[in-house]
């Protein structure tokens, strides 16, 4: 069986992947990679600018190669993925092969509260709640098929979610 050196967090924008990933990596003494931040560093510009000038497809190319490079690492990592990283089948397969994948599932109220104060989100337009509902519905299956387990994060602080990931993680054989 393939080894799974990494832990990857997936889920919608606003589900808390970056903050939870940071806490988890800290408490486990692992290196933390935020995929969006890694893309921004390599490209030297923010995600919103990449979307605006190069378009979403090109952003997905950057995302795919960054994810592949990151998951190829032999050093165990905690990886927080952008919400759309599951859109490509190749990413989904690689995630399941190289990482224990946790879906941070949040309801629309939680997501909309968190993205309202967040920085620019290229996929959200004038009616962000409607957009979140549409995107979340369209992706639910993809998150479900990629994840080894799910945590419902509504009402939980990031450090509580990180604790749950830590507790679930050792029971790897129970993951589907
Ligand atoms: C996206 C989510 C964002 C970022 C980009 C696209 C998406 O990441 O990758 O704006 O398609 O859901 P976060 O989920 O970290 O906000």
């Amino acid at each position: 069986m393939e080894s799974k050196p990494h832990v990857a967090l997936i889920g919608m924008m606003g589900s808390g992947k970056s903050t939870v990933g940071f806490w988890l990596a800290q408490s486990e003494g692992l290196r933390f990679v935020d995929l969006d931040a890694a893309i921004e560093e390599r490209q030297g510009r923010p995600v919103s600018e990449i979307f605006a000038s190069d378009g979403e497809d090109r952003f997905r190319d950057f995302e795919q190669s960054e994810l592949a490079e990151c998951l190829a690492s032999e050093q165990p990592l905690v990886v927080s993925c952008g919400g759309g990283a599951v859109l490509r089948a190749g990413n989904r397969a690689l995630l399941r092969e190289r990482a224990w994948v946790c879906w941070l599932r949040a309801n629309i109220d939680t997501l909309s509260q968190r993205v309202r104060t967040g920085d620019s989100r290229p996929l959200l337009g004038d009616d962000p709640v409607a957009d979140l509902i549409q995107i979340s519905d369209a992706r639910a299956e993809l998150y479900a098929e990629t994840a080894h387990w799910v945590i419902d994060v509504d009402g939980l602080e990031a450090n509580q979610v990180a604790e749950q990931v830590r507790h679930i993680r050792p029971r790897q054989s129970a993951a589907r």
Side-chain angles (χ1 to χ4, degrees):
M1 185 179 136
E2 285 287 338
S3 68
K4 299 183 197 301
H6 313 299
V7 175
L9 303 177
I10 61 171
M12 286 286 291
M13 58 188 99
S15 58
K17 297 166 300 222
S18 301
T19 319
V20 170
F22 175 81
W23 280 105
L24 179 64
Q26 285 262 310
S27 58
E28 299 246 309
L30 298 176
R31 213 184 116 213
F32 171 58
V33 176
D34 180 302
L35 210 58
D36 282 341
I39 296 165
E40 290 184 335
E41 196 178 321
R42 197 181 294 272
Q43 292 298 315
R45 53 207 168 123
V47 166
S48 54
E49 204 180 305
I50 301 173
F51 265 74
S53 51
D54 296 12
E56 179 170 350
D57 274 0
R58 193 82 185 108
F59 171 77
R60 298 297 172 203
D61 292 339
F62 296 143
E63 181 174 60
Q64 184 162 11
S65 54
E66 200 68 51
L67 181 67
E69 181 171 328
C70 171
L71 293 179
S73 162
E74 288 308 318
Q75 179 190 12
L77 305 171
V78 174
V79 185
S80 127
C81 300
V86 297
L87 289 172
R88 292 192 171 175
N91 289 350
R92 299 197 294 278
L94 198 59
L95 276 163
R96 276 192 74 84
E97 184 188 314
R98 294 284 295 165
W100 291 108
V101 184
C102 181
W103 173 16
L104 304 190
R105 183 169 57 190
N107 67 31
I108 297 297
D109 281 349
T110 301
L111 296 177
S112 57
Q113 277 163 24
R114 293 191 186 158
V115 299
R116 202 172 297 153
T117 51
D119 34 43
S120 92
R121 309 269 180 176
L123 293 180
L124 301 185
D126 293 340
D127 188 349
V129 175
D131 291 337
L132 284 170
I133 292 170
Q134 187 270 320
I135 297 168
S136 173
D137 284 353
R139 289 184 185 164
E141 266 306 305
L142 302 180
Y143 292 134
E145 75 171 62
T146 311
H148 294 99
W149 72 86
V150 184
I151 295 177
D152 286 306
V153 301
D154 305 304
L156 297 178
E157 298 293 332
N159 60 334
Q160 295 174 307
V161 179
E163 268 309 296
Q164 287 202 23
V165 179
R166 287 190 72 191
H167 282 113
I168 293 168
R169 193 184 167 212
R171 294 195 294 274
Q172 292 179 339
S173 57
R176 69 180 165 84

